[in-house]
Amino acid sequence: MKFRLYHYWRSSSSWRVRWALAFKEIPCEFVPINLLSDETESPAHLARNPMGYVPVLEFLEQKTPYPFLCESVAILEWLEEVYPQPSLLPGDPFQKAKIRQLAETINSGTQPLQNLNAVQLHSSDPEEQKKWHQTWIKKGLHAYETLAQQTAGKFSVGDTLTMADLFLIPQCYNAKRQEVSLESFPTIQRIHENALKMESCRVSAPEAFQP
Amino acid sequence: MKFRLYHYWRSSSSWRVRWALAFKEIPCEFVPINLLSDETESPAHLARNPMGYVPVLEFLEQKTPYPFLCESVAILEWLEEVYPQPSLLPGDPFQKAKIRQLAETINSGTQPLQNLNAVQLHSSDPEEQKKWHQTWIKKGLHAYETLAQQTAGKFSVGDTLTMADLFLIPQCYNAKRQEVSLESFPTIQRIHENALKMESCRVSAPEAFQP
């Protein structure tokens, strides 16, 4: 085994990486970090990721004092570069840019505002927390829908799975948890249905890792 | 002229792209979008970016109904792919991953929580807004400092400018605006001093575009 992934079953950023590993058929050992406990602030985890977040990929055969790689985008781009087939970034540079544009609509435009830390600092009132979640999810998915209408086939860009879908589908899972319906997003709904049929999606989904 | 960049002088994400264009000596026309006005919600701007944000790069010679590219990461990766020299992502895949990890510590870990929309939805009280800003800037810069101590020379990764620095320095500019001192971050401080000596940094800085 070359890799160990520190992750949390319901973390959308963790799902992105689990999915890429499954899609590229890269063996990996999974170690859960409970985001609801103080495990994230333990010295052992902060040594892996000073932000205290997941996912973190550990390189078990790497002879370096720092064999950890944090941040899902950095991990996914590395996996794509070193294990290019099957590709999650197909096409010419302009198409790759459109894939990354969609991924970023979730990665920097939507998900960070749903981080547990941020939601809890915003308010301790569960109703106010839900309103906050819903505001950012709706804004993000509305933008994604508009952009994806320009590029989507069966998936976000064309008819094959790309990195963009790995950001979208876990965000849809969060939308459901926060009671945001996908009904007003027909393109996203179609992509969502097609993605859930894929084995690499199902074996990497939160349900498959629920404790 | 092949490109037009919609930007805002004080937007840190806009500075990242202006800096890359200057570093790679790519000519570009600049069109300001005032983030403090309702220009961001105008139909013309939403057609460029359904999130209403900047930067947006317009491809003036592209024969496509959608010649716009949003999201600084997608734009920077595209520029690096099509204009690889001078490189902002030098080294082997593992070093590139470390560069992207640092960039993401700011891109998804810090900056999104400082978006005007988010800060204003959190609170309308200026004191509370400043506390919010400071919390996330300190957390992000602390993580960046810890990670950069593992890789930095004159810059965040080694002795040459990389994509990571293009995320860090605009965030330092925001830190100053929010009265977060860089004193407890010696590595960041050193990188900051070295970066400010670069012409590509100075000509792309907010001061150079202040109306």
Side-chain angles (χ1 to χ4, degrees), chain A residues 151-199:
Chain A
T151 57
K154 287 184 189 163
F155 291 95
S156 297
V157 179
D159 288 323
T160 57
L161 191 78
T162 68
M163 203 181 278
D165 305 303
L166 270 54
F167 286 77
L168 174 65
I169 305 306
Q171 187 59 59
C172 291
Y173 173 85
N174 282 359
K176 203 175 161 187
R177 282 181 69 198
Q178 301 300 335
E179 297 172 38
V180 173
S181 161
L182 295 184
E183 265 179 32
S184 34
F185 309 117
T187 311
I188 290 176
Q189 236 180 341
R190 183 176 81 232
I191 299 164
H192 190 238
E193 280 164 20
N194 289 326
L196 294 186
K197 289 178 198 155
M198 293 189 74
E199 205 205 331

Side-chain angles (χ1 to χ4, degrees), chain B residues 92-104:
Chain B
D92 65 10
F94 195 65
Q95 178 167 316
K96 289 165 80 168
K98 294 280 179 173
I99 295 170
R100 289 189 176 110
Q101 168 185 255
L102 285 166
E104 284 300 317

Side-chain angles (χ1 to χ4, degrees), chain B residues 130-149:
Chain B
K130 176 164 285 185
K131 244 172 63 187
W132 173 270
H133 270 297
Q134 292 182 338
T135 301
W136 302 117
I137 294 175
K138 283 178 191 167
K139 182 177 170 71
L141 292 187
H142 171 78
Y144 199 103
E145 173 73 23
T146 308
L147 292 169
Q149 282 177 1

Side-chain angles (χ1 to χ4, degrees), chain A residues 41 46-53 59 62 64 66-71 73-75 77-78 81-82 91-94 96-98 100-102 104-113 115 117-119 121-123 128 131-132 135-136 139-140 142-144 146-147 149-151, chain B residues 41 46-53 59 62 64 66-71 73-75 77-78 81-82 91-94 96-98 100-102 104-113 115 117-119 121-123 128 131-132 135-136 139-140 142-144 146-147 149-151:
Chain A
E41 298 300 319
L46 289 175
R48 293 175 205 126
N49 182 351
M51 290 291 260
Y53 298 155
F59 292 68
Q62 192 90 0
T64 147
Y66 306 109
F68 302 107
L69 187 59
C70 319
E71 298 293 343
V73 166
I75 299 171
E77 294 276 356
W78 185 88
E81 211 163 323
V82 177
D92 65 11
F94 195 65
K96 289 165 79 169
K98 294 280 180 174
R100 289 190 177 108
Q101 169 185 254
L102 285 166
E104 284 300 317
T105 302
I106 305 298
N107 178 59
S108 59
T110 311
Q111 192 280 328
L113 293 153
N115 230 318
N117 288 352
V119 178
L121 186 66
H122 169 57
S123 172
E128 187 54 39
K131 245 172 64 188
W132 172 269
T135 302
W136 302 117
K139 181 176 172 70
H142 170 78
Y144 198 104
T146 307
L147 292 169
Q149 282 177 1
Q150 304 167 5
T151 57
Chain B
E41 297 301 318
L46 289 175
R48 292 173 207 128
N49 182 352
M51 291 291 260
Y53 298 156
F59 292 69
Q62 193 89 1
T64 149
Y66 307 109
F68 301 107
L69 187 59
C70 320
E71 299 293 344
V73 166
I75 298 171
E77 293 277 357
W78 185 87
E81 211 162 324
V82 177
D92 65 10
F94 195 65
K96 289 165 80 168
K98 294 280 179 173
R100 289 189 176 110
Q101 168 185 255
L102 285 166
E104 284 300 317
T105 301
I106 305 299
N107 178 58
S108 61
T110 312
Q111 192 281 328
L113 294 154
N115 230 318
N117 288 351
V119 178
L121 186 66
H122 169 57
S123 173
E128 187 53 40
K131 244 172 63 187
W132 173 270
T135 301
W136 302 117
K139 182 177 170 71
H142 171 78
Y144 199 103
T146 308
L147 292 169
Q149 282 177 1
Q150 305 167 4
T151 57

